[in-house]
Amino acid sequence: MKLTGAEIVVACLKEQEVDTVFGYPGGTILNVYDALYKHSDEIRHILTSHEQGAAHAADGYARATGKVGVCLATSGPGATNLVTGIATAYMDSVPMVAITCNVNLPLLGKDSFQEVDIAGVTMPITKHGYIVKDVSILADTIRKAFAIARSGRPGPVLVDITKDVTAAQFEYQEKKPEALPVKKKYEEEDIEKAVALMKEAKKPYIYVGGGAVISGAYQEVRKLSGLLDAPVCDTLMAKGVMDGHSDYYTGMIGMHGTKTSNFGVSECDLLVALGARFSDRVVGNASAFAKNAKVLHIDIDAAEINKNIHSDAFVVGDLKEVLTKINEKLPEQEHPEWIAHIKELKEKYPLSYDHSVLSCPYIMEEIDKATEGKAIITTDVGQHQMWAAQYYKYSEPRTFLSSGGLGTMGYGLGACIGAKCGRPEKICINIGGDGCFRMNMNELATASRYQIPIIQVVINNHVLGMVRQWQTLFYEKRYSQTVLDDGVDFCMVAKGLGCEAFRVTTKEEFDEAIRKAIELKKPVVLDCMIGEDDKVFPMVPAGAPISEAFDASDMEA
């Protein structure tokens, strides 16, 4: 049957079983929005307050569900407003398709009104980008975009369509989604070498990255830790792969990782890296990282092997598939002395904070209790992000959504809305600092418009907390442009945007407020006042070995 290009876009979204899209209309994409109007009973459109919010919402939807997130924008500034969200998804390997429309084909390249080469702009931050100038290739291009976004190491794909293509007609035939052909990247001897290294190890440590979430390998990782009798640390992206209550779990590694993880990895004789990329925030001083260990690296992306840290052995392939094979071949190992040593480190170096006042660690522990550890937690970026990673006990993957690679302030609220749209059965809570919250707090209007019952917790210390922490420790307390004590009333703002709001100044007030927020089942803001000089510990100075992690007690000493 003959359809317009705009109708083909919608038909292809239905082929891919897309149920929710996030976006903002404009002149060049009007035909697509007209087609969406006719299919509003099949595809839910969430009108965000800003295109960046749409990109973050699509990202949050994708991370929470494992499906491809979709965002839409018009040409020019609409398209460029997606860029930060696309880059955020790219850095954290999130499957997303961003559909933009551009000026008519004859106007391309002539500096036309609201024209921008968005495919060129986003080339470095997408897995692939298309500009569609011919309606005959539109359907296949959109299909390829979804296949590329979800295949291998996932990531965002951009499809830019000229407006005249959305109006032109072409014969459309429905097709079922097809996966891209996957070539087996590893040989059986790679598996054998990995198993041999594990059998030789006396002090093995498992380091888990976001690839374990993406591949759905959390059960395989947990099984491996038992078979190998090895402690497990994780990155920000891997929260929930290991149950936070497990005896084998030692917490996060890196700049704000636990002393147990940082010291343990520094002492181990085999480091098994699973779906991780050895980020600088994990590794610190690369020349001193895990210097006593052989490194076994398993990752789907061959480009990550030996990129930041040299591997003694590696397996390039899907983590779930590779670990299934390893777990079949690996006999049960025992390392009682090593495990006892790690247990001693955990007892000697627990995470700690001042229990006498309201603080973010306390808030995270109370949220954990109030939600029985089953909520989806999204975060912005800064101190609160680290506290949210440290003090909430994640027991399943896809329940901690945060901008790890790009570190995008303002990410969390849009992502929380997207997560709630994708997983409506879950309590979804965004943890944001006051600096981050003011960047994209306009998305409260989105939550209010659709009555999406998310909870926004503002960790309000009236400063840019993480930057201030660095200024305190390394810049002799020169607080250049980090004080935010300007009289902004977030509760009034929230109520003005149609949400409930509560100001919290004590532990008792927070306990009552979080339970009330959960019961209300509507968008709620909790404005929580904490000390301006609260610090995230442990900490590793930039470029230092992770074995030099220090905390407040070390500073006092």
Side-chain angles (χ1 to χ4, degrees):
M1 59 180 160
K2 276 201 169 183
L3 298 179
T4 66
E7 289 167 337
I8 288 171
V9 170
V10 174
C12 287
L13 293 178
K14 287 161 61 179
E15 277 180 11
Q16 301 294 329
E17 298 181 351
V18 172
D19 54 25
T20 306
V21 297
F22 306 88
Y24 207 97
T28 62
I29 202 169
L30 269 176
N31 292 331
V32 174
Y33 270 81
D34 192 52
L36 277 170
Y37 181 85
K38 298 166 187 171
H39 295 272
S40 56
D41 57 333
E42 297 166 285
I43 298 176
R44 182 188 190 193
H45 181 281
I46 301 295
L47 175 66
T48 54
S49 299
H50 189 284
E51 290 92 351
Q52 185 178 331
H56 292 328
D59 174 306
Y61 176 95
R63 294 194 207 214
T65 64
K67 299 191 281 190
V68 178
V70 179
C71 56
L72 309 174
T74 195
S75 62
T80 57
N81 282 344
L82 294 177
V83 168
T84 298
I86 292 171
T88 302
Y90 181 73
M91 289 292 282
D92 290 341
S93 304
V94 178
M96 179 197 293
V97 172
I99 298 174
T100 58
C101 288
N102 217 317
V103 298
N104 287 328
L105 185 56
L107 296 176
L108 277 182
K110 296 184 178 179
D111 294 332
S112 306
F113 177 68
Q114 289 194 332
E115 180 200 355
V116 75
D117 177 12
I118 192 62
V121 168
T122 58
M123 188 180 293
I125 55 167
T126 51
K127 275 188 80 177
H128 203 77
Y130 298 95
I131 178 161
V132 182
K133 304 175 184 178
D134 181 349
V135 71
S136 69
I137 63 168
L138 177 59
D140 283 342
T141 302
I142 292 173
R143 290 165 186 147
K144 284 177 193 172
F146 275 87
I148 291 169
R150 65 165 69 95
S151 68
R153 181 178 181 171
V157 178
L158 178 101
V159 181
D160 191 35
I161 311 165
T162 62
K163 185 174 182 179
D164 42 5
V165 166
T166 66
Q169 289 193 328
F170 192 72
E171 194 68 27
Y172 166 78
Q173 282 190 319
E174 184 178 352
K175 281 188 182 178
K176 289 186 178 179
E178 295 178 6
L180 291 178
V182 179
K183 291 181 181 177
K184 185 180 170 187
K185 297 181 180 179
Y186 63 90
E187 302 296 335
E188 286 305 310
E189 52 259 40
D190 298 331
I191 302 288
E192 296 293 346
K193 188 171 182 181
V195 171
L197 276 177
M198 292 180 187
K199 287 161 75 172
E200 291 168 9
K202 299 290 186 282
K203 298 189 290 183
Y205 221 112
I206 297 172
Y207 149 50
V208 184
V213 175
I214 293 165
S215 69
Y218 75 102
Q219 290 177 325
E220 288 74 17
V221 172
R222 294 178 186 188
K223 184 175 181 180
L224 177 65
S225 70
L227 284 173
L228 187 54
D229 198 27
V232 182
C233 63
D234 59 12
T235 68
L236 201 63
M237 294 291 94
K239 290 291 163 192
V241 172
M242 279 298 286
D243 187 335
H245 304 89
S246 168
D247 290 338
Y248 281 117
Y249 180 63
T250 62
M252 198 161 59
I253 183 176
M255 182 173 280
H256 293 292
T258 63
K259 282 188 171 183
T260 303
S261 293
N262 286 345
F263 294 169
V265 165
S266 299
E267 295 174 22
C268 73
D269 66 1
L270 175 66
L271 183 64
V272 182
L274 305 177
R277 60 187 180 87
F278 295 98
S279 156
D280 59 296
R281 285 296 173 103
V282 165
V283 169
N285 184 331
S287 64
F289 181 74
K291 61 181 183 295
N292 301 311
K294 292 182 177 178
V295 175
L296 167 61
H297 192 181
I298 304 173
D299 201 280
I300 198 166
D301 188 353
E304 292 297 341
I305 306 298
N306 295 322
K307 186 174 86 174
N308 295 327
I309 294 292
H310 171 75
S311 300
D312 295 273
F314 58 85
V315 185
V316 177
D318 176 73
L319 188 62
K320 184 180 178 74
E321 178 187 325
V322 171
L323 288 188
T324 298
K325 288 180 176 288
I326 287 174
N327 288 341
E328 288 170 356
K329 294 177 181 290
L330 180 67
E332 198 166 336
Q333 308 292 299
E334 291 184 356
H335 307 104
E337 291 182 9
W338 175 236
I339 294 299
H341 174 62
I342 296 299
K343 185 179 179 184
E344 286 174 12
L345 289 178
K346 286 174 77 171
E347 291 170 354
K348 186 177 180 181
Y349 301 117
L351 291 171
S352 62
Y353 65 93
D354 182 355
H355 288 260
S356 66
V357 294
L358 182 68
S359 67
C360 191
Y362 176 84
I363 285 168
M364 294 315 305
E365 289 184 340
E366 285 306 302
I367 290 174
D368 195 353
K369 289 177 192 172
T371 62
E372 299 178 343
K374 295 176 181 176
I376 290 178
I377 304 294
T378 65
T379 80
D380 285 297
V381 172
Q383 288 180 313
H384 61 276
Q385 176 189 32
M386 298 297 110
W387 283 317
Q390 290 173 333
Y391 286 95
Y392 191 96
K393 293 286 192 287
Y394 301 91
S395 57
E396 59 181 272
R398 301 195 180 279
T399 54
F400 178 76
L401 317 183
S402 190
S403 172
L406 196 64
T408 304
M409 293 177 69
Y411 163 83
L413 181 52
C416 195
I417 289 169
K420 186 65 178 178
C421 289
R423 309 252 331 250
E425 79 285 0
K426 286 282 192 181
I427 296 170
C428 294
I429 303 174
N430 182 49
I431 312 298
D434 48 329
C436 291
F437 179 58
R438 61 177 64 206
M439 286 191 172
N440 277 338
M441 61 186 174
N442 51 349
E443 294 306 334
L444 288 178
T446 307
S448 147
R449 177 184 297 116
Y450 297 100
Q451 281 300 292
I452 300 169
I454 53 100
I455 300 170
Q456 166 70 55
V457 177
V458 182
I459 305 300
N460 194 345
N461 53 9
H462 296 99
V463 293
L464 296 177
M466 187 63 88
V467 185
R468 182 185 177 89
Q469 178 167 328
W470 280 62
Q471 288 173 332
T472 300
L473 297 175
F474 308 118
Y475 289 85
E476 298 178 344
K477 299 186 180 181
R478 293 187 294 274
Y479 299 125
S480 177
Q481 304 304 316
T482 49
V483 178
L484 304 176
D485 194 6
D486 50 13
V488 174
D489 188 326
F490 291 138
C491 288
M492 287 183 68
V493 170
K495 288 175 180 176
L497 291 172
C499 302
E500 288 289 339
F502 304 99
R503 181 164 291 110
V504 173
T505 59
T506 66
K507 293 159 65 176
E508 293 74 21
E509 286 176 353
F510 183 79
D511 296 353
E512 182 182 354
I514 187 62
R515 282 162 178 78
K516 192 178 290 184
I518 292 169
E519 289 166 6
L520 280 172
K521 292 184 168 50
K522 61 193 297 186
V524 180
V525 173
L526 305 183
D527 187 13
C528 304
M529 305 298 168
I530 70 163
E532 65 181 13
D533 282 313
D534 286 5
K535 293 180 177 62
V536 177
F537 288 120
M539 182 177 185
V540 179
I546 61 170
S547 57
E548 294 183 11
F550 67 91
D551 57 22
S553 63
D554 296 315
M555 290 184 67
E556 289 168 11

